[in-house]
């Protein structure tokens, strides 16, 4: 990460209330890290976190099963193989749900070495999120001239492909430097999340990729090293209205809008840690479904 980029990200912590919100989120994650239920069962709890995260991420995309079927139960069955991925492949809602599950599952084995190859990491997450939604030649690569993007209409028109690629390069720079430190991880996670969601560099699946990337940065960056916090649930609170509003504020480019987004991300991580605590409590009590 360049010195200028480090300084720019660090300076975001000087916006009113941001440093205090970051400290509160860090404390919530630290408390979760030492939860008694995680002493010997972190993998089990982290797996449940990914299930709940994928469910929330799909909900933010409007992908919930019709009728009385439980989204969480369906995602759990998908992950454990009780439901076939191809079972409802013609249903577009199902495809989005399956993409959110695949993208979130793909975060499991991401380590610091993978962050040093951010182009490949983003390509992997995008392919996972959008297989079945896009032609194969559009998977894992930024959109080209003349290719349109879908989703997040609340953010207004998407930047043109050239601007989107420039902003994606910034994301690559930030993600690639995470293992070296230099900037508060929560701020890095918030910026890369917003840049992917707002710039919409891919033809589809941008918001799902953005949330999966945030999950990776928060864990690998050491803010939540157990991977048990559920950032997606933090964003999905109140049916995601705060999330979409905060993203729209960031998209405005106004410093106050950026501040509102950062505060939202910090508060969302506090809620994410609270959801992680519920997971850890269930693990300790042997109550996971």
């Amino acid at each position: 990460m360049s010195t200028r980029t480090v300084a720019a990200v660090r300076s975001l912590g000087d916006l009113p209330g941001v440093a205090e919100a970051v400290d509160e989120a860090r404390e919530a994650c630290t408390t979760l890290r030492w939860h008694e239920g995680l002493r010997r069962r972190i993998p089990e709890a982290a797996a449940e976190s990914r299930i709940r995260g994928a469910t929330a991420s799909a909900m933010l995309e409007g992908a919930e099963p019709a009728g009385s079927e439980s989204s969480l139960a369906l995602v759990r069955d998908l992950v454990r193989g009780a439901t076939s991925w191809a079972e409802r492949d013609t249903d577009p809602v199902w495809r989005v749900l399956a993409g959110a599950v695949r993208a979130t599952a793909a975060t499991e084995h991401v380590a610091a070495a993978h962050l040093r190859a951010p182009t490949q990491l983003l390509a992997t997450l995008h392919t996972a999120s959008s297989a079945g939604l896009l032609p194969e030649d559009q998977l894992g690569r930024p959109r080209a001239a003349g290719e349109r993007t879908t989703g997040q209409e609340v953010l207004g028109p998407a930047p043109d492909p050239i601007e989107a690629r420039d902003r994606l390069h910034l994301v690559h720079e930030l993600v690639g430097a995470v293992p070296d430190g230099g900037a508060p991880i929560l701020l890095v996670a918030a910026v890369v999340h917003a840049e992917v969601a707002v710039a919409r560099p891919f033809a589809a699946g941008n918001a799902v990729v953005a949330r999966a990337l945030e999950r990776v940065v928060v864990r690998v960056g050491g803010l939540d090293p157990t991977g048990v916090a559920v950032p997606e649930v933090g964003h999905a609170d109140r049916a995601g209205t705060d999330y979409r509003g905060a993203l729209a504020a960031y998209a405005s480019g106004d410093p106050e809008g950026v501040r509102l987004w950062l505060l939202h991300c910090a508060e969302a991580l506090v809620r994410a840690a609270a959801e992680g605590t519920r997971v850890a409590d269930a693990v300790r009590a042997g109550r996971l479904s």
Side-chain angles (χ1 to χ4, degrees), residues 1 6 10 112 115-116 173-183 185 220-221:
M1 190 189 304
V6 170
R10 282 180 173 170
L115 268 61
R116 296 189 188 280
E173 183 180 359
L174 290 170
V175 171
V178 165
D180 300 324
I185 290 300
V220 181

Side-chain angles (χ1 to χ4, degrees), residues 28-29 32 49 214-215 218 224 228-235 265-279:
C29 288
L32 171 61
S49 170
E214 179 189 27
R215 170 178 280 271
V218 166
D224 171 41
V228 176
V230 194
E232 303 87 349
V233 166
H235 292 304
C265 287
E267 293 162 3
L269 194 55
V270 172
R271 294 192 291 270
E275 183 70 9
T277 298
R278 287 187 280 273
V279 170

Side-chain angles (χ1 to χ4, degrees), residues 18-94:
V18 170
E20 294 81 0
V22 168
D23 287 342
E24 183 179 357
R26 184 186 301 112
E27 181 60 32
C29 288
T30 298
T31 300
L32 171 61
R33 180 179 184 179
W34 299 112
H35 190 289
E36 184 179 347
L38 301 182
R39 286 185 179 178
R40 296 182 180 86
R41 301 176 69 182
I42 289 177
E44 180 181 351
E48 176 67 12
S49 170
R50 290 189 296 275
I51 288 171
R52 297 187 186 196
T55 305
S57 189
M59 185 275 286
L60 286 167
E61 297 300 295
E64 295 181 274
S68 60
E69 188 174 26
S70 165
S71 295
L72 188 59
L74 177 58
V75 170
R76 190 173 282 114
D77 284 347
L78 273 173
V79 170
R80 66 189 178 93
T83 296
S84 169
W85 292 96
E87 188 171 309
R88 286 174 261 182
D89 195 48
T90 58
D91 182 350
V93 172
W94 169 261

Side-chain angles (χ1 to χ4, degrees), residues 126 129-130 149-150 196-197 199-211:
H126 182 251
S129 75
S130 300
T149 185
T150 61
V196 173
R200 287 158 280 182
F202 303 106
N206 293 287
V208 172
V209 171
R211 291 187 288 271

Side-chain angles (χ1 to χ4, degrees), residues 143 147-165 167 195-204 206 251:
R143 53 192 167 94
E147 292 179 342
R148 306 182 68 178
T149 185
T150 61
Q152 296 295 341
E153 286 76 8
V154 68
L155 303 178
D160 65 65
I162 294 176
E163 179 185 342
R165 283 174 181 255
R167 294 174 72 163
E195 284 296 316
V196 173
V198 170
R200 287 158 280 182
F202 303 106
N206 293 287

